[in-house]
Amino acid sequence: MGKKRGRMVRRSKAAAGSQEPDSLKNAPHSFIFHRGRVGRFVRQLIKDLRMVFSPFTAAKLQVRRNNSLKDFVAVSGIFSVSHFLIFTRTEESLNMRIMHVPRGPTLSFKVLQYCLASDVVSALKKSLCYNKQFANPPLLIFSHIDRSLDHVRLVQTMIQGMLPSLNIDTVRLDDIRRVVLINYDKEEGCFDFRHYGIKTVPAGVSKQAKIVLKRKVPDLGTYQDISEYFTNPEYLSESEPEEGSANVVELSQDLRTRGCKKSTEVAVKLIEMGPRLKLQLYKVEEGFSSGQILYHAFGSDHQPVEQPEASGSETSEQQRRKKRKRPTKTAIKEKRPALESDEL
């Protein structure tokens, strides 16, 4: 008889067989959490943002009071986490930090305004939300980004790093079901964050035909013939908005939506899903929540934003630590002859 295998051996082999592919391991992952007391509305905002950045964020991350920032850094390497998004509240405002793990930089924002996803959906006549929407990351779009400003360009680079890049040659249109739009208002110096769901419907098709395409049985009790359901103008809906030529495109791939096949024209609609955020960048730090201040919105003595140095070169923080250590080493060398003479 063969030797029985232990339970842990079976589990380890099963885990080894179910390892993630390299494409998922190399994709950027994030932790979104809060520090200190922030209130129940901010906690709900964190849950909404986790849904926005899903599936490459920890949706069920639990934070305890005794957890320090070092605890999250310690486990970030295990889960391939590359970014932290942290909310904190002061007496004056709500703040948000985007941190690149483990060496920085750190971007600090003031949350001027925010609106929860539930409030956005409740204001809509028709909402668009289902579980399969969050199986793939959203499409990231930037609008009115001023590339001449270094700190604005750095914000764009940091947020782009939180989501995996798309390969135009291999991407499936059916996987792109959400859009994250970030607009920069140059006059106010603020970033507007919006989250939309993508809805595609066949173009040039009446409302009655769309019901049939969705395999729904219409109510034909008031009609003498089924042709009246499609041709009689008095039964057509006048409240349905007309589809303009700007949002009508020709598909290059098949979609799962009924009636949306390759080489057919479809109308693309964006339905807001929430949340909404209005952010103001006020500080850029070189390191991981420390280091030289590269930009400050409320101070005039800041230096322009520079790209982080290579890993082999010494940072300014490491140079300052060496300077602090030098006096102690020289003092020990000066005291050694005196100690040796006392021993003799």
Side-chain angles (χ1 to χ4, degrees):
M1 293 179 64
K3 187 178 179 180
K4 290 186 178 181
R5 296 178 180 177
R7 181 173 56 184
M8 298 306 296
V9 175
R10 293 196 299 269
R11 284 184 180 178
S12 61
K13 287 196 172 184
S18 62
Q19 287 183 354
E20 294 181 345
D22 294 337
S23 59
L24 293 180
K25 287 183 179 180
N26 298 331
H29 295 70
S30 60
F31 281 166
I32 304 176
F33 56 97
H34 66 87
R35 306 297 296 154
R37 295 184 178 180
V38 292
R40 62 188 181 96
F41 294 111
V42 178
R43 289 197 297 269
Q44 183 60 42
L45 176 64
I46 292 173
K47 293 181 181 179
D48 294 341
L49 286 175
R50 288 177 180 176
M51 295 297 292
V52 172
F53 289 96
S54 62
F56 293 104
T57 188
K60 298 182 180 180
L61 179 65
Q62 296 182 359
V63 182
R64 298 178 180 177
R65 293 182 180 179
N66 56 354
N67 288 136
S68 63
L69 199 58
K70 293 181 180 179
D71 298 334
F72 296 99
V73 177
V75 299
S76 62
I78 303 173
F79 299 103
S80 303
V81 174
S82 59
H83 291 79
F84 287 172
L85 200 152
I86 307 174
F87 284 88
T88 56
R89 180 182 287 280
T90 62
E91 296 180 356
E92 298 178 354
S93 63
L94 175 66
N95 300 325
M96 185 187 79
R97 289 183 294 170
I98 301 178
M99 310 167 71
H100 190 276
V101 182
R103 298 182 179 178
T106 302
L107 308 182
S108 300
F109 297 87
K110 274 191 175 182
V111 182
L112 303 180
Q113 297 175 0
Y114 71 91
C115 184
L116 301 178
S118 58
D119 298 330
V120 174
V121 172
S122 62
L124 300 175
K125 291 183 178 179
K126 293 183 180 180
S127 61
L128 180 68
C129 185
Y130 50 93
N131 293 332
K132 290 184 179 180
Q133 275 184 310
F134 304 97
N136 295 287
L139 176 66
L140 184 60
I141 298 177
F142 289 92
S143 177
H144 300 97
I145 296 296
D146 191 355
R147 300 285 297 177
S148 62
L149 300 177
D150 293 335
H151 62 280
V152 176
R153 192 168 67 249
L154 181 60
V155 172
Q156 181 182 8
T157 304
M158 284 284 287
I159 298 178
Q160 280 179 340
M162 295 183 67
L163 293 171
S165 58
L166 295 177
N167 189 348
I168 300 177
D169 298 328
T170 60
V171 68
R172 293 179 55 197
L173 295 179
D174 207 23
D175 293 339
I176 303 175
R177 303 188 179 187
R178 296 180 292 127
V179 172
V180 171
L181 175 63
I182 297 177
N183 178 62
Y184 177 67
D185 190 347
K186 190 174 182 180
E187 295 181 357
E188 298 183 0
C190 300
F191 296 88
D192 295 321
F193 181 95
R194 296 291 186 272
H195 182 217
Y196 298 94
I198 301 176
K199 182 180 180 181
T200 55
V201 293
V205 180
S206 63
K207 185 178 179 181
Q208 284 72 11
K210 290 177 185 177
I211 295 176
V212 177
L213 287 174
K214 293 179 181 178
R215 296 183 181 179
K216 294 181 180 180
V217 180
D219 185 10
L220 303 176
T222 58
Y223 306 101
Q224 295 182 358
D225 190 82
I226 192 172
S227 60
E228 295 182 4
Y229 178 75
F230 294 99
T231 59
N232 199 339
E234 66 179 77
Y235 297 113
L236 298 179
S237 175
E238 296 180 356
S239 61
E240 190 77 11
E242 295 183 359
E243 297 169 353
S245 59
N247 61 342
V248 175
V249 296
E250 184 177 346
L251 290 178
S252 60
Q253 299 177 10
D254 292 341
L255 297 181
R256 294 180 184 177
T257 307
R258 293 186 179 94
C260 299
K261 299 298 181 181
K262 184 178 179 180
S263 301
T264 59
E265 291 186 347
V266 296
V268 181
K269 299 180 181 179
L270 297 181
I271 300 177
E272 190 170 3
M273 301 172 61
R276 296 180 182 178
L277 288 168
K278 188 174 184 179
L279 307 172
Q280 181 185 15
L281 178 69
Y282 70 89
K283 187 170 64 172
V284 176
E285 295 174 277
E286 183 182 10
F288 185 77
S289 189
S290 62
Q292 183 181 3
I293 297 177
L294 303 178
Y295 170 81
H296 205 293
F298 307 113
S300 58
D301 55 345
H302 66 270
Q303 298 182 3
V305 176
E306 299 177 356
Q307 295 295 331
E309 298 179 356
S311 58
S313 59
E314 294 182 350
T315 60
S316 59
E317 183 67 21
Q318 292 174 347
Q319 292 175 359
R320 284 197 295 269
R321 289 178 181 176
K322 282 190 175 182
K323 288 181 181 179
R324 288 198 296 266
K325 291 180 180 179
R326 283 172 188 169
T328 58
K329 290 182 179 179
T330 54
I332 291 172
K333 289 180 180 179
E334 292 175 356
K335 289 181 180 180
R336 276 181 182 174
L339 293 172
E340 291 175 357
S341 61
D342 292 341
E343 290 177 358
L344 294 174

